[in-house]
Amino acid sequence: MMDILMYLFETYIQSEAELLVDQDELSEELLRAGFHQDDIYKSLEWLEKLAALQETEHTPYVNHSAITSMRIYTDKEMLRMDTACRGFLLYLEQIDVLNTDTREMVIDRVMELDTQEFVLDDLKWIILMVLFNAPGNEAAYDQVEELLYGAEDEVIH
């Protein structure tokens, strides 16, 4: 499922190419690219739910917590996201890339993935997709994009 999401994001969304409106045409395109029908359906549904997070007047993630409060993960969340993933989310909050709303959107989208394996690189892609979809987070999106694409270019002394 992550492969399809990354393929769609890189091919259509991030490159600002016109996304095919007809889901049947998009499904055919993904089938020709070698993806399985069940995974295609689940990925498209996942993307629809991501878009729906922005279409509601009510933001379900606003919890009006104190700035000093700490997010406690459920057992299921800890099984899906290892210590490195949770630590990375905390780091992004500390440097103001994520706020409580976008963090919760990321966790929601991670928990909706239909995959057994989930690693830090997958989390970075999910964060990028959420920030791209969340209005007003352009600077945060640029920072995460730099983390994904810019790390290879850096020389460590």
Side-chain angles (χ1 to χ4, degrees):
M1 186 172 173
M2 279 301 301
D3 291 338
I4 296 173
L5 293 172
M6 290 185 323
Y7 175 85
L8 287 171
F9 190 72
E10 286 183 326
T11 304
Y12 296 105
I13 299 169
Q14 190 178 33
S15 67
E16 297 182 12
E18 185 175 329
L19 186 61
L20 300 172
V21 177
D22 186 359
Q23 276 195 356
D24 292 334
E25 288 180 37
L26 185 56
S27 294
E28 288 298 320
E29 170 73 22
L30 292 169
L31 282 171
R32 286 191 298 274
F35 297 111
H36 297 288
Q37 183 66 44
D38 287 344
D39 292 334
I40 293 169
Y41 174 75
K42 290 174 186 174
S43 297
L44 293 176
E45 184 178 11
W46 187 94
L47 287 169
E48 286 177 8
K49 288 180 180 178
L50 173 60
L53 290 176
Q54 298 304 318
E55 295 174 358
T56 180
E57 291 178 13
H58 171 69
T59 305
Y61 303 113
V62 176
N63 54 19
H64 305 291
S65 58
I67 191 94
T68 57
S69 64
M70 170 79 77
R71 170 69 153 80
I72 305 297
Y73 291 88
T74 67
D75 290 339
K76 287 182 181 181
E77 291 168 344
M78 288 193 298
L79 284 173
R80 174 58 59 96
M81 295 181 293
D82 63 12
T83 305
C85 291
R86 295 188 311 269
F88 188 67
L89 285 175
L90 180 60
Y91 168 72
L92 291 180
E93 279 186 87
Q94 291 171 338
I95 63 170
D96 294 324
V97 169
L98 293 178
N99 58 38
T100 55
D101 291 345
T102 53
R103 178 201 62 214
E104 292 304 314
M105 288 179 193
V106 168
I107 293 169
D108 176 78
R109 294 296 78 217
V110 166
M111 297 308 293
E112 287 291 319
L113 285 173
D114 186 22
T115 183
Q116 295 299 327
E117 294 183 25
F118 187 78
V119 294
L120 182 57
D121 285 339
D122 296 336
L123 177 64
K124 290 176 183 177
W125 280 102
I126 299 300
I127 293 166
L128 198 61
M129 290 178 208
V130 167
L131 291 174
F132 183 84
N133 192 63
N137 288 288
E138 292 79 13
Y141 173 85
D142 290 341
Q143 286 181 279
V144 175
E145 188 176 41
E146 180 64 28
L147 287 172
L148 278 176
Y149 296 118
E152 300 133 11
D153 299 337
E154 294 179 11
V155 177
I156 300 174
H157 297 280

